[in-house]
Amino acid sequence: MASYVFRYFNTIGYGETTRLLLTAAKVEWTEEHPEWPQEKPNQPFGRLPVLIERSIDGSPDLVLS
């Protein structure tokens, strides 16, 4: 089964709907709070929020922003 990594600021905002949906779906997910703006160049699209779906082997299958 896939797992998810959600990257966003530690605040209620655009990311709250995603947090609620992941929790309601009862899927395995973790949350990361990147240091901003230092981590901006390391994000897949240079912005937040980011949702990464990882396959069983840990490789990213899908990245959304």
Side-chain angles (χ1 to χ4, degrees), residues 23-64:
T23 302
K26 298 180 182 176
V27 296
E28 180 183 335
W29 70 284
T30 59
E31 188 167 354
E32 297 177 355
H33 308 286
E35 292 295 322
W36 208 256
Q38 298 87 346
E39 288 293 319
K40 183 175 182 176
N42 301 329
Q43 300 308 311
F45 302 102
R47 61 183 182 176
L48 295 176
V50 173
L51 179 65
I52 302 169
E53 179 184 18
R54 296 201 184 272
S55 63
I56 295 171
D57 67 0
S59 63
D61 285 339
L62 178 68
V63 179
L64 301 170

